Amino acid sequence: MAALSIPKLANQIKTEADAYEFLERMRWGDGVVCPHCDHDKAYFLKAQNGGRQTRTGTISERRVWKCASCRKQFSALTGTIFHGSKIPVRTWLFVVFEMCSSKNGVSAREIERKYGLHPKSAWFMTHRIREAMKRDPLAGLLRGAIVADESYIGGKPKLPNGTLKPQTGKRLRKDKPAVVSLINTSTGEVRSRVVPWVDGHKLREVLRDEVDIPNSTLQTDEAGHYKAIGREFQSHDAVWHSGGEYVRYEGGRTITSNQAENFFSQLKRSIDGTHHRVSREHLQRYLAEFDFRYSTRKTTDTGRMETLMRQVGGKRLTYRPLTGR
């Protein structure tokens, strides 16, 4: 697909029918597939009089298909993050493109202002898109040279009267959610996870879930909680930040944790400047968004959007579970 921009996208999807056709090309570039039974034979149900009449009597431009196997009707929205949404598909596509192309992300308040949505609708919409950005649970383990680091997300905690807490590192960190990020230096893929605390046992759990340890090497800073799990890797190399060492060259290899430091730098600047505040309950979804953009940073905005559209199926998210009600 040709490189997209907001004006080019607007020219391609002037109507809702255009938006449906665009979404179908994005999702089913190799042919329509039934979301109910995965059958690859379906036929288009042509609407009469330029549209399809709904139960309320209005005319909808929704494009409907019928499976030749299970005989069920479906559209490009069925079983996806768009399923059941009353927001126009055209608006959805613009917001998806913005979230894929904006390096610092887009806040729900910004979406609300730009597209005239209710605040709750904009917030729910962005979280549904983040749900699609999540890594496939069946994706393989990371393998190769792995950089691991941890960080704490959030501002300086305050006492009830608004004064800052004493500047003691341990007390400050206990009030902040911890994040562990693993980066494959060869593929550039990053995987981040919110953890309740940082110690050797918790890091061992994260690394064993995400990394093919016997076939990988580990690079970290001098933190002691990596020492035990580091012995299970082919090798474990550390740089000593406390001694002013950030990069070391050994036997033609570059040993550094700068990739993880750079990822955290971008993540924190974006949260601070774009979202301002992220709750602990929803932090993992924001991490999925930043992981997705970082892992696909070498592709174009159009390629990133195409990748996301291939992941929207089977990730329907409803409002009540999202809000914990």
Side-chain angles (χ1 to χ4, degrees):
M1 184 176 288
L4 290 175
S5 62
I6 293 292
K8 289 181 180 179
L9 186 61
N11 286 333
Q12 288 192 38
I13 53 174
K14 296 179 180 178
T15 65
E16 272 294 277
D18 294 337
Y20 271 96
E21 289 188 37
F22 184 90
L23 182 56
E24 288 171 0
R25 290 195 299 271
M26 281 274 187
R27 282 202 66 197
W28 301 320
D30 298 328
V32 178
V33 177
C34 174
H36 300 294
C37 65
D38 294 330
H39 194 67
D40 59 355
K41 299 294 181 183
Y43 53 91
F44 178 66
L45 298 179
K46 188 175 181 180
Q48 300 296 325
N49 302 323
R52 192 177 307 279
Q53 189 170 2
T54 65
R55 289 177 295 179
T56 59
T58 58
I59 299 300
S60 170
E61 296 180 88
R62 179 171 175 260
R63 287 170 55 87
V64 179
W65 297 76
K66 189 170 183 177
C67 179
S69 176
C70 68
R71 312 300 294 173
K72 292 182 180 180
Q73 295 184 12
F74 61 91
S75 72
L77 312 184
T78 304
T80 68
I81 60 170
F82 314 114
H83 192 119
S85 174
K86 295 181 180 179
I87 298 173
V89 178
R90 192 167 181 266
T91 301
W92 269 106
L93 292 176
F94 280 122
V95 176
V96 167
F97 182 75
E98 285 208 48
M99 289 188 68
C100 287
S101 58
S102 301
K103 184 177 181 181
N104 294 319
V106 185
S107 70
R109 286 294 187 181
E110 190 173 348
I111 298 301
E112 170 202 340
R113 293 194 305 272
K114 283 184 177 180
Y115 299 99
L117 300 175
H118 189 277
K120 289 184 179 180
S121 298
W123 180 82
F124 185 30
M125 190 180 195
T126 55
H127 273 302
R128 288 163 89 167
I129 296 172
R130 292 185 186 103
E131 184 72 15
M133 289 178 171
K134 283 185 177 180
R135 178 178 54 86
D136 189 334
L138 298 179
L141 298 174
L142 296 175
R143 182 180 293 107
I146 307 299
V147 173
D149 200 8
E150 73 285 342
S151 188
Y152 296 84
I153 306 298
K156 295 178 180 179
K158 295 182 179 180
L159 294 171
N161 61 3
T163 59
L164 293 176
K165 289 187 178 181
Q167 298 296 318
T168 54
K170 288 185 178 180
R171 187 173 182 183
L172 282 172
R173 287 183 174 181
K174 284 181 180 179
D175 295 317
K176 297 183 181 182
V179 173
V180 176
S181 290
L182 311 174
I183 301 179
N184 188 319
T185 60
S186 57
T187 64
E189 181 183 358
V190 59
R191 298 184 185 180
S192 303
R193 186 186 296 186
V194 180
V195 293
W197 61 83
V198 175
D199 62 12
H201 296 292
K202 185 56 65 175
L203 290 175
R204 181 190 298 271
E205 178 183 322
V206 174
L207 286 164
R208 284 183 171 175
D209 287 346
E210 302 291 351
V211 181
D212 182 6
I213 292 179
N215 297 308
S216 302
T217 61
L218 182 63
Q219 297 181 18
T220 66
D221 55 23
E222 73 272 24
H225 39 239
Y226 288 106
K227 290 183 179 179
I229 185 63
R231 298 188 188 99
E232 300 179 24
F233 283 79
Q234 289 182 352
S235 65
H236 174 206
D237 299 292
V239 288
W240 294 86
H241 290 173
S242 57
E245 181 187 52
Y246 295 92
V247 182
R248 188 171 72 253
Y249 302 96
E250 284 185 2
R253 294 187 307 131
T254 302
I255 300 170
T256 181
S257 63
N258 283 349
Q259 276 187 283
E261 302 284 351
N262 295 340
F263 172 77
F264 285 132
S265 177
Q266 177 66 51
L267 172 66
K268 290 182 177 181
R269 286 200 308 269
S270 299
I271 288 178
D272 182 52
T274 301
H275 303 289
H276 305 313
R277 179 183 177 277
V278 173
S279 68
R280 186 186 298 262
E281 292 78 12
H282 298 293
L283 178 57
Q284 188 62 55
R285 284 194 174 86
Y286 287 92
L287 293 179
E289 175 189 357
F290 283 93
D291 284 358
F292 175 79
R293 275 199 301 267
Y294 186 90
S295 299
T296 57
R297 66 192 182 280
K298 294 186 179 179
T299 64
T300 63
D301 295 337
T302 308
R304 195 174 298 111
M305 185 176 182
E306 289 177 336
T307 300
L308 178 62
M309 286 303 183
R310 290 193 292 269
Q311 300 179 181
V312 297
K315 294 185 177 180
R316 187 181 178 190
L317 180 66
T318 54
Y319 192 76
R320 286 186 178 181
L322 179 63
T323 56
R325 296 177 181 174

